[in-house]
Amino acid sequence: MSIRLRAMAVLAAVATLLVGFASTASAHGTTIDPPSRNYGCWQRWGSDFQNPAMATQDPMCWQAWQTDTNAMWNWNGLYREGVAGNHQAAIPDGQLCSAGRTQGGRYRAMDTVGDWKAVNKSRNFTVDVYDQAFHGADYYRVYITKQGFNPITQALRWSDLELVTTVGKTPPQEHTFLNVNAGSRTGRHIVYTIWQASHLDQSYYWCSDVNFS
């Protein structure tokens, strides 16, 4: 590669980083523990997102970075507006993790079926919602996939989920901890969290991959 082309490639990478940081600074929020799929990819690879080793070490994140890098830089922007509480009507089966291909399909790679990195959790755990913009909540709803669902081979449908936790009106605060009981579940599951923000009719949707020990 010529010096000129190499310089152009470096400038392009820097521009991507700056766009990402600017978008992150505008702030909304996500689940950081267990991490949403795009937040986990940003957390693990944000400082090294062009590393080809990701393809073998973390292939689901690799395909996500290749699909749209802004889905990870904008880990706090996975929401829809104007849903009016009709979540199942707004988001089709198979598109739950991307909030129905919201933001022009930016987060579509989150719906890709495969072996996403999962964090180990006990059956009683907390979901840490990072309300970066201090929106507050009208409510939170936490779902977990039913026993027998296999997130490695199956696309997520509403019928695969069971509502396990509901928390009502919550004031703006940086972190909200939602207590969750997974019952008798074991093995791999998806935790699906809906945050209905209070400042607007703005609904956030996050898939987090867990392994119940």
Side-chain angles (χ1 to χ4, degrees):
M1 181 183 292
S2 68
I3 293 175
R4 182 171 178 272
L5 288 176
R6 192 172 296 143
M8 290 174 65
V10 170
L11 287 172
V14 170
T16 299
L17 287 168
L18 290 174
V19 168
F21 290 142
S23 299
T24 299
S26 67
H28 296 290
T30 193
T31 50
I32 62 172
D33 184 26
S36 61
R37 285 180 170 175
N38 56 324
Y39 180 82
C41 289
W42 173 81
Q43 190 177 44
R44 291 191 295 275
W45 297 99
S47 61
D48 197 21
F49 71 100
Q50 292 178 318
N51 188 341
M54 193 195 323
T56 52
Q57 295 177 15
D58 199 348
M60 299 312 295
C61 280
W62 173 257
Q63 63 85 31
W65 281 102
Q66 299 307 302
T67 300
D68 194 328
T69 58
N70 283 320
M72 273 60 69
W73 297 124
N74 292 276
W75 50 260
N76 51 22
L78 212 172
Y79 64 88
R80 295 186 71 90
E81 293 184 321
V83 172
N86 298 318
H87 305 294
Q88 294 192 37
I91 301 178
D93 285 344
Q95 298 181 17
L96 276 69
C97 297
S98 69
R101 308 287 165 85
T102 192
Q103 312 293 325
R106 170 183 291 168
Y107 300 95
R108 61 192 181 279
M110 303 303 114
D111 293 319
T112 303
V113 177
D115 192 4
W116 290 86
K117 293 284 187 183
V119 295
N120 292 324
K121 290 292 176 183
S122 64
R123 291 171 183 163
N124 289 287
F125 66 102
T126 58
V127 172
D128 181 357
V129 179
Y130 181 26
D131 183 356
Q132 193 180 25
F134 289 82
H135 289 325
D138 288 345
Y139 58 81
Y140 295 99
R141 294 177 186 170
V142 181
Y143 301 77
I144 305 178
T145 47
K146 298 172 183 176
Q147 191 65 27
F149 175 80
N150 186 347
I152 298 175
T153 61
Q154 294 175 263
L156 184 63
R157 304 169 302 173
W158 287 103
S159 60
D160 297 317
L161 295 170
E162 180 181 0
L163 180 63
V164 294
T165 297
T166 301
V167 175
K169 193 77 173 178
T170 304
Q173 52 194 357
E174 191 171 33
H175 293 273
T176 298
F177 296 94
L178 312 174
N179 295 319
V180 179
N181 184 334
S184 61
R185 289 173 175 84
T186 59
R188 289 289 299 269
H189 284 274
I190 294 173
V191 176
Y192 191 65
T193 305
I194 297 176
W195 169 28
Q196 184 64 45
S198 292
H199 70 304
L200 292 169
D201 184 6
Q202 200 171 74
S203 308
Y204 293 76
Y205 306 89
W206 307 302
C207 283
S208 304
D209 295 275
V210 300
N211 181 61
F212 292 121
S213 55

